[in-house]
């Protein structure tokens, strides 16, 4: 029994236990919480944020930070909608090409962010934050401040068509998480993310091209941001400059709450899935029990502080920066 209650096991399973405790609590307070319909609402609200959070998970695993997601999502969303309309506005026609097109835009945007970081030797948080502003500016330039409607019934079926009570977009997101897990665990580049996050000096000494790994990581993150943008458009049927709003807070909060270490080298996409569910269960549960939104923000803030505190090994840190 004592062997199960080690600090490592507590840290590993704490997010899952928190998620289960939240579901149990809200179910007791309001039995309507524990229904397929309500879980479907949670899935719908979770899927775009989950894609963005999976993308930033890779960057955090390297010990870096990416704050460009709001701008990246905005520019990918408006370019997807623009290209989708230009190609006929239907997935049944040539409109499907807008999906890989948006993913390519996300990859390019991520590559530029990575290059600004490694070539100009600008800290990742500042390089990515600046690129986020660039993305928002580009999206505003493309749209002129207008909204772009995407009304194709086939595309909107990602939201409207249900399978087992859940929308198709939830299954698309799950497939993307599995793809992220494969990249993380079954590919050389994924293992290199852990190597860089676990010790950049050791990675350099072993002959690893750390700059190349960083740029590729930001590219992969950009692809997941683009997937988040596409699902966000499918969710509301509109692409605009504010499509990416609030993704920065939600995604990084989810990664941290899920148990991925901010200094890199520990965690992964399954942790992020749990973190996203925790954040969205709190949001949904607050609405179900009738509590105001500022209470939700306060609870999330306390949860982040607690998660970082519990996951920090202070013996390995000379001081907190």
């Amino acid at each position: 029994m004592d062997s199960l209650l080690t600090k490592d096991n507590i840290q590993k399973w704490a997010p899952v236990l928190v998620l289960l405790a939240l579901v149990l609590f809200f179910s007791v307070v309001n039995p309507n919480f524990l229904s397929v319909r309500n879980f479907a609402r949670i899935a719908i609200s979770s899927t775009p944020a989950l894609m963005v959070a999976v993308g930033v998970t890779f960057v955090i695993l390297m010990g870096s930070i990416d704050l460009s997601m709001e701008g990246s999502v905005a520019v990918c969303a408006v370019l997807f909608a623009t290209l989708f309309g230009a190609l006929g506005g239907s997935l049944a026609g040539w409109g499907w090409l807008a999906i890989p097109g948006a993913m390519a835009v996300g990859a390019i945007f991520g590559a530029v962010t990575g290059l600004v970081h490694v070539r100009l030797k600008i800290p990742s948080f500042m390089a990515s934050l600046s690129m986020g502003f660039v993305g928002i500016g580009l999206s505003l330039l493309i749209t002129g401040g207008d909204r772009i409607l995407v009304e194709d019934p086939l595309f909107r079926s990602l939201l409207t068509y249900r399978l087992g009570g859940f929308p198709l977009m939830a299954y698309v997101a799950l497939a993307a998480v599995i793809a992220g897990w494969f990249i993380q665990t079954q590919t050389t580049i994924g293992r290199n993310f852990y190597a860089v996050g676990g010790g950049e000096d050791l990675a350099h000494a072993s002959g690893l091209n750390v700059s190349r790994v960083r740029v590729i990581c930001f590219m992969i993150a950009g692809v997941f941001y683009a997937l988040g943008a596409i699902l966000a458009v499918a969710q509301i049927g509109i692409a605009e400059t504010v499509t990416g709003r609030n993704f920065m807070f939600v995604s990084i909060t989810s990664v941290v709450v899920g148990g991925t270490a901010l200094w890199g080298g520990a965690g992964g996409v399954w942790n992020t899935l749990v973190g996203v569910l925790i954040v969205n269960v709190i949001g949904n549960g607050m609405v179900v029990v009738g509590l105001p939104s500022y209470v939700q923000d306060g609870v999330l803030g306390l949860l982040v502080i607690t998660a970082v505190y519990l996951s920090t090994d202070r013996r390995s840190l000379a001081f907190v920066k």
Side-chain angles (χ1 to χ4, degrees):
M1 185 65 177
D2 291 339
S3 63
L4 295 176
L5 295 178
T6 62
K7 183 179 179 181
D8 288 342
N9 279 335
I10 292 173
Q11 290 178 348
K12 179 179 179 180
W13 293 105
V16 176
L17 295 175
V18 168
L19 178 59
L20 293 175
L22 287 170
V23 171
L24 179 61
F25 171 75
F26 288 124
S27 301
V28 170
V29 174
N30 189 331
N32 292 327
F33 178 86
L34 200 64
S35 65
V36 173
R37 175 176 292 184
N38 191 52
F39 286 161
R41 292 194 194 102
I42 294 173
I44 291 169
S45 65
S46 299
T47 48
L50 176 59
M51 296 297 90
V52 177
V54 168
V56 79
T57 297
F58 293 123
V59 179
I60 291 177
L61 282 176
M62 288 196 309
S64 297
I65 194 70
D66 189 353
L67 304 179
S68 70
M69 62 280 290
E70 293 187 357
S72 182
V73 167
V75 75
C76 287
V78 299
L79 283 175
F80 164 76
T82 301
L83 186 58
F84 189 78
L87 293 171
S90 174
L91 283 181
W94 291 104
W96 67 270
L97 289 172
I99 295 176
M103 293 170 67
V105 170
I108 292 170
F109 196 88
V112 173
T113 302
L115 288 170
V116 169
H117 167 44
V118 301
R119 295 298 185 188
L120 301 183
K121 301 189 183 303
I122 298 175
S124 58
F125 81 93
M126 185 55 68
S128 58
L129 182 63
S130 301
M131 286 300 298
F133 289 132
V134 170
I136 292 173
L138 284 174
S139 66
L140 185 60
L141 183 64
I142 294 167
T143 62
D146 295 330
R147 295 178 170 184
I148 304 174
L149 298 179
V150 179
E151 300 176 309
D152 176 38
L154 186 58
F155 176 69
R156 295 303 308 283
S157 68
L158 285 169
L159 172 69
T160 58
Y161 185 81
R162 302 296 174 101
L163 187 62
F166 291 86
L168 282 178
M169 62 193 306
Y171 297 99
V172 172
L174 181 59
V177 170
I178 293 172
W181 168 82
F182 182 85
I183 294 170
Q184 169 192 304
T185 61
Q186 305 299 313
T187 66
T188 301
I189 191 65
R191 291 188 288 271
N192 286 343
F193 297 157
Y194 282 97
V196 174
E200 185 172 341
D201 292 339
L202 290 175
H204 270 299
S206 65
L208 189 63
N209 187 333
V210 173
S211 295
R212 177 174 173 271
V213 171
R214 290 191 182 278
V215 173
I216 292 174
C217 186
F218 278 96
M219 285 181 64
I220 293 174
V223 172
F224 279 93
Y225 298 163
L227 287 173
I230 293 168
L231 291 179
V233 174
Q235 189 180 70
I236 61 175
I238 295 171
E240 55 185 331
T241 300
V242 297
T243 299
R245 184 174 55 190
N246 205 39
F247 277 127
M248 183 191 300
F249 171 76
V250 172
S251 61
I252 294 178
T253 297
S254 299
V255 172
V256 173
V257 169
T260 296
L262 277 173
W263 46 91
V269 297
W270 293 117
N271 299 76
T272 296
L273 173 60
V274 174
V276 169
L277 290 176
I278 288 173
V279 170
N280 283 276
V281 162
I282 289 174
N284 178 271
M286 294 291 183
V287 172
V288 169
V289 302
L291 293 175
S293 60
Y294 65 81
V295 176
Q296 173 191 342
D297 294 339
V299 170
L300 287 177
L302 292 174
L303 198 59
V304 170
I305 293 172
T306 303
V308 174
Y309 175 80
L310 292 176
S311 62
T312 302
D313 184 1
R314 282 152 189 81
R315 294 170 301 178
S316 64
L317 298 177
F319 59 97
V320 178
K321 297 183 180 180

